Amino acid sequence: MEIQTIDASLLSKMFLSGAKNLESKKEWINELNVFPVPDGDTGTNMTMTIMSAANAVMELENPDMKTLSKAISSGSLRGARGNSGVILSQLFRGFTKVISSHDEIDIPLLNEAFEKAVQTAYKAVMQPKEGTILTVARAAADKAAEMVGKTDNIVEFAEAVIAEAEDTLARTPEMLPVLKQAGVVDSGGQGLVQVLKGGYDALIGKEVDYASEETPVAKAKPAISKYAVEFVIESEKPLAAYQIKELKAKLEKLASGKVSELTITETNSDEVVFTSDEEVADATPKFTEPAKEMGFVSIATGEGLTAIFTELGCDYMIPGGQTMNPSTDDILSAVAKVNAKTIFVLPNNKNIILAANQAAAICEDKKIIVIPTKTIPQGITALISFDAAASVEDNEAVMTEEIANVKTGQVTYAVRDTVIDDKEIKKDDWMGMGDSGLLSVNADISVAFKEMIDEMVSEDSSVVSIYWGEGSDQSKAEELGAAISEKYPDLEVEISEGGQAVYAYIVSVE
């Protein structure tokens, strides 16, 4: 088969096929993650990113290259989740920037678009590492440049580019020792290869079902006659979890025997919608009071942690973290709900920082400053360090400086056998993970916790804070706290309910 140019119609099919192929492989890609933590990570994030763009593409009727490029770029940028998703969105952004003004794409233009894609993605990452999705993308771009002048057949061109990408992916363990020790290739690179292979399938005419498993199906309305009554309850401040529960309980009791169907939908942490019909869309609030100078948006999961952040002055909480990285659009939507000129965003997870930075770059009506908090304790420290009387610049400097003084430890269980940092890990073992790597492994959670603490505590330590979540309870946390106090009598030990998923304990040492 010989194809010399790609028009908008064919490119649309190729993009959707690439998205579908990635979606079908997402669980397999998730399993390639180095750390055997029970979460959905790279595969899920990349899939949700590309499906955001795929949904935008599927809404187009007879797209030309300009409208198609805009749908791909804007859809992926706003839907980007996690570092891998952000990098993928930047690859699409660079690629579409080159092709958007052309009616058809040939090999020289493809080469230019590949090069621009890689340049754009590398610029989005502060400290690019070799052996990642970036390396695979660059290898593909290098092969694209090499093929210019060698062939006019895009099928032959695509086969060579994909072969180079796969070969480079296979060599990623030699570039990153942590991959080699875990016995996996880079998961982000694998995701990119699957996108390319899916696009190739459509290029050669392979039939692909473009329907997405991720796309929600519209609910059918009941075939009965009834009135739909909707109540919207708004609060000036985010509602605590217990307040939302109380409201739900009261309305359910009130509706009992009087309403045929009651649906209660929490659309965000400061607005709860109760409706007797179908779910209604969330709307950005219209502020009547003057905007304050500075506000906060933070990401966390768990009722306890949400309450702690709110009490410390956070204006809006985005539910998420290790188990679900919020998208760039989620962060932008949260920022829109805070009545402040400058919004400090606390990602509290290293895999959310790039999405937050992307939101800051996109936002036009407010100034977003991302404090690069990689853990929950760093986010709490940033809030404690905030001074409402100080300037934006001074607060940014102080918070950024203070979070560097916090040590974080997190205890979770392994979902598979592997080896990390020369430590053998068996499925269901408990792992104590620190800021720079694995600190402890043991079948007994108490032993893993104590060994992790021993690695974290130093002569300068004064306070240990324990936040217990799923897999633990207050009594178990207090037992561990007592053990710390007994071994380190000079340390002050604080225990709080976090309620976080994935991690039985999150610990800070200061």
Side-chain angles (χ1 to χ4, degrees), residues 82-103:
N83 293 344
S84 54
V86 171
I87 292 171
L88 183 63
S89 73
Q90 290 293 331
L91 288 169
F92 291 144
R93 180 189 179 201
F95 188 93
T96 56
K97 189 173 290 186
V98 170
I99 66 169
S100 62
S101 59
H102 298 265
D103 294 329

Side-chain angles (χ1 to χ4, degrees), residues 223-495:
I224 58 174
S225 176
K226 69 174 183 177
Y227 290 100
V229 182
E230 177 184 313
F231 301 91
V232 179
I233 300 176
E234 297 182 346
S235 173
E236 293 181 356
K237 296 182 179 179
L239 294 175
Y242 77 90
Q243 293 174 306
I244 293 173
K245 285 184 177 179
E246 287 179 357
L247 282 169
K248 288 180 178 179
K250 288 178 180 178
L251 280 185
E252 285 172 343
K253 184 177 180 181
L254 182 65
S256 180
K258 301 176 183 178
V259 177
S260 60
E261 181 182 352
L262 177 68
T263 303
I264 301 174
T265 305
E266 180 189 347
T267 58
N268 57 64
S269 63
D270 58 3
E271 180 183 290
V272 182
V273 174
F274 302 89
T275 175
S276 61
D277 194 19
E278 60 187 13
E279 185 176 328
V280 295
D282 185 15
T284 302
K286 293 179 175 60
F287 302 110
T288 56
E289 298 179 359
K292 59 183 180 179
E293 289 300 318
M294 293 171 280
F296 278 92
V297 166
S298 187
I299 294 96
T301 180
E303 292 183 7
L305 292 177
T306 297
I308 289 170
F309 275 93
T310 301
E311 289 166 5
L312 289 173
C314 187
D315 298 280
Y316 194 92
M317 294 296 300
I318 303 174
Q322 190 65 24
T323 52
M324 176 56 72
N325 299 149
S327 68
T328 296
D329 200 44
D330 290 335
I331 297 170
L332 287 170
S333 296
V335 165
K337 294 178 176 69
V338 178
N339 191 20
K341 298 175 183 177
T342 298
I343 311 293
F344 292 106
V345 175
L346 307 176
N348 304 329
N349 187 296
K350 65 181 180 180
N351 209 33
I352 302 175
I353 293 175
L354 281 184
N357 287 338
Q358 192 149 280
I362 293 174
C363 190
E364 297 178 351
D365 58 340
K366 297 180 182 180
K367 182 178 182 181
I368 297 178
I369 296 177
V370 179
I371 305 300
T373 52
K374 297 179 179 179
T375 65
I376 290 293
Q378 286 187 353
I380 291 172
T381 296
L383 278 171
I384 292 173
S385 305
F386 176 73
D387 181 359
S391 68
V392 170
E393 294 75 17
D394 286 346
N395 271 307
E396 179 182 8
V398 170
M399 287 189 286
T400 303
E401 180 180 351
E402 288 300 318
I403 64 174
N405 298 324
V406 183
K407 295 179 184 177
T408 300
Q410 303 178 102
V411 178
T412 188
Y413 61 93
V415 295
R416 67 174 187 274
D417 295 354
T418 188
V419 177
I420 298 175
D421 296 340
D422 296 323
K423 293 181 175 69
E424 185 176 355
I425 301 170
K426 297 294 184 182
K427 184 177 181 295
D428 297 327
D429 276 353
W430 291 94
M431 303 176 293
M433 296 184 291
D435 295 312
S436 57
L438 190 65
L439 299 180
S440 64
V441 178
N442 201 282
D444 187 323
I445 188 172
S446 297
V447 175
F449 180 94
K450 292 172 185 177
E451 290 179 350
M452 179 185 74
I453 294 295
D454 290 341
E455 292 291 328
M456 295 173 66
V457 171
S458 66
E459 293 180 356
D460 299 327
S461 302
S462 58
V463 180
V464 174
S465 299
I466 303 172
Y467 306 93
W468 56 270
E470 292 180 6
S472 183
D473 55 39
Q474 186 168 349
S475 62
K476 292 176 183 177
E478 288 176 348
E479 287 179 13
L480 292 172
I484 294 173
S485 296
E486 182 178 353
K487 186 168 185 178
Y488 303 101
D490 294 334
L491 289 180
E492 178 183 350
V493 179
E494 300 174 348
I495 299 172

Side-chain angles (χ1 to χ4, degrees), residues 123-178:
K123 286 179 181 177
V125 182
M126 292 288 290
Q127 296 178 318
K129 283 185 179 180
E130 293 308 311
T132 66
I133 181 176
L134 290 171
T135 308
V136 175
R138 193 185 68 232
D142 289 345
K143 176 57 71 170
E146 183 183 317
M147 294 299 292
V148 175
K150 286 188 175 182
T151 180
D152 293 329
N153 186 357
I154 293 178
V155 173
E156 185 180 342
F157 169 90
E159 289 171 347
V161 168
I162 292 172
E164 182 66 26
E166 288 188 296
D167 182 63
T168 302
L169 176 66
R171 290 186 287 108
T172 54
E174 302 302 322
M175 305 175 203
L176 275 179
V178 68

